[in-house]
Amino acid sequence: MKLIYAKDYDSMSAIAATLIANEVYTNPTCVLGLATGSTPVGTYKELIRMHKNNDLDFSKVNTVNLDEYKGLTKDNDQSYAYFMYENLFKHVNIDMEKTNIPNGLNEDIEDECNRYEAVIDSLGGVDIQLLGIGQNGHIGFNEPDKVFVSKTHAIELTQNTIEANARFFNSIDEVPTVAYTMGNRQIMNAKTVVLVANGANKAQAIYDLVAGDANPMSPASILQFHQNAYIICDEAALSLVAQKAPELLK
Ligand code: PGA
């Protein structure tokens, strides 16, 4: 695991986008694992800029997203399908047929989880996985739990996550309470992981990830076992590490 200091949000986004773009340049048919939330928006903006200015070519790339709310249609402006279209896909030359997101409308949980797991396996797994991190340490919607859940699954969102995501909805009552998420197997099998975090509200989660014990109550801490994970943080997200474990920043 490599902890990387970025001076601010733009610099964090530029570093993450460079790692992803390098993968696309060297392996044009790669499988990109993608994330939603406010943190990766800058990374997508930078990738769009590289597409427009440097001919970064997405035409042969496959994508798999981490998660999707259960019950939202693709055209619901809070669905992750909608987010991906608005924040990346419609701005680059991606083949929409090569993009994959859990189907939030599939009522049959077992069927959807098996289908999505098989999609990722059929692509040969993820080459580079972009991740945000929840204030509670979640990656994708792998919430704090007694165990690290391996496979794609449906999960009841914690109150902390519902409250954190309520800012995107008209009211907290509209936030879905269940989501489909890729499990830890596909995330840990990704050849490279790029986690981005900014802001003081992520400082505890980043401290637990890099300095705590690997523990499913801090879901991102499983990345301590990943051989090629880049944890890219701005100063505020690193503030607790700087205070309590400064040796990790050297
Ligand atoms: P955020 O979400 O980027 O909107 O803070 C991150 C996450 O919950 O994974």
Side-chain angles (χ1 to χ4, degrees):
M1 201 166 69
K2 299 169 198 73
L3 184 58
I4 298 177
Y5 163 86
K7 78 174 178 347
D8 55 20
Y9 179 80
D10 288 347
S11 147
M12 175 201 80
S13 303
I15 297 167
T18 302
L19 288 165
I20 294 169
N22 280 346
E23 180 72 36
V24 176
Y25 283 128
T26 53
N27 179 10
T29 60
C30 66
V31 179
L32 299 183
L34 300 176
T36 53
S38 39
T39 317
V41 170
T43 305
Y44 294 143
K45 283 200 173 123
E46 187 60 15
L47 288 171
I48 294 164
R49 193 192 63 72
M50 290 180 188
H51 168 68
K52 299 213 154 97
N53 297 350
N54 306 351
D55 293 335
L56 182 61
D57 178 11
F58 288 88
S59 62
K60 300 194 187 79
V61 162
N62 292 279
T63 69
V64 291
N65 261 79
L66 284 167
D67 45 17
E68 179 61 285
Y69 288 119
K70 187 162 177 288
L72 296 193
T73 56
K74 283 185 184 173
D75 58 357
N76 183 307
D77 63 4
Q78 292 311 324
S79 76
Y80 290 162
Y82 187 94
F83 174 100
M84 287 312 305
Y85 188 70
E86 288 299 315
N87 286 288
L88 179 65
F89 297 158
K90 79 172 184 189
H91 303 284
V92 296
N93 64 337
I94 205 149
D95 176 353
M96 287 302 291
E97 295 290 315
K98 291 186 160 66
T99 67
N100 300 280
I101 300 183
N103 175 8
L105 289 186
N106 191 345
E107 282 297 324
D108 184 336
I109 290 176
E110 198 182 337
D111 178 66
E112 182 54 22
C113 294
N114 289 339
R115 182 195 73 79
Y116 202 60
E117 197 79 11
V119 164
I120 304 172
D121 284 343
S122 73
L123 292 169
V126 176
D127 288 303
I128 185 163
Q129 177 67 56
L130 179 62
L131 297 174
I133 185 168
Q135 292 173 36
N136 65 3
H138 72 205
I139 46 176
F141 275 132
N142 290 281
E143 297 278 51
D145 204 339
K146 291 193 200 65
V147 290
F148 289 113
V149 180
S150 171
K151 288 183 132 188
T152 299
H153 55 285
I155 183 135
E156 297 261 354
L157 301 179
T158 60
Q159 191 57 27
N160 176 290
T161 296
I162 291 171
E163 281 165 18
N165 290 0
R167 68 190 195 277
F168 300 116
F169 292 80
N170 292 325
S171 85
I172 195 164
D173 301 332
E174 288 181 19
V175 185
T177 55
V178 178
Y180 285 114
T181 184
M182 201 189 276
N184 286 294
R185 179 176 82 95
Q186 302 286 9
I187 295 172
M188 290 301 284
N189 279 345
K191 295 190 186 86
T192 303
V193 168
V194 175
L195 184 146
V196 282
N198 71 297
N201 63 344
K202 301 294 171 66
Q204 184 69 52
I206 290 297
Y207 177 80
D208 292 343
L209 156 59
V210 301
D213 292 333
N215 175 344
M217 289 307 290
S218 311
S221 64
I222 197 170
L223 297 174
Q224 291 175 12
F225 302 112
H226 198 285
Q227 298 301 313
N228 199 27
Y230 296 85
I231 313 298
I232 308 167
C233 305
D234 78 346
E235 191 153 348
L238 282 174
S239 55
L240 262 191
V241 176
Q243 241 175 58
K244 292 164 76 171
E247 67 283 2
L248 294 177
L249 290 173
K250 289 192 179 126

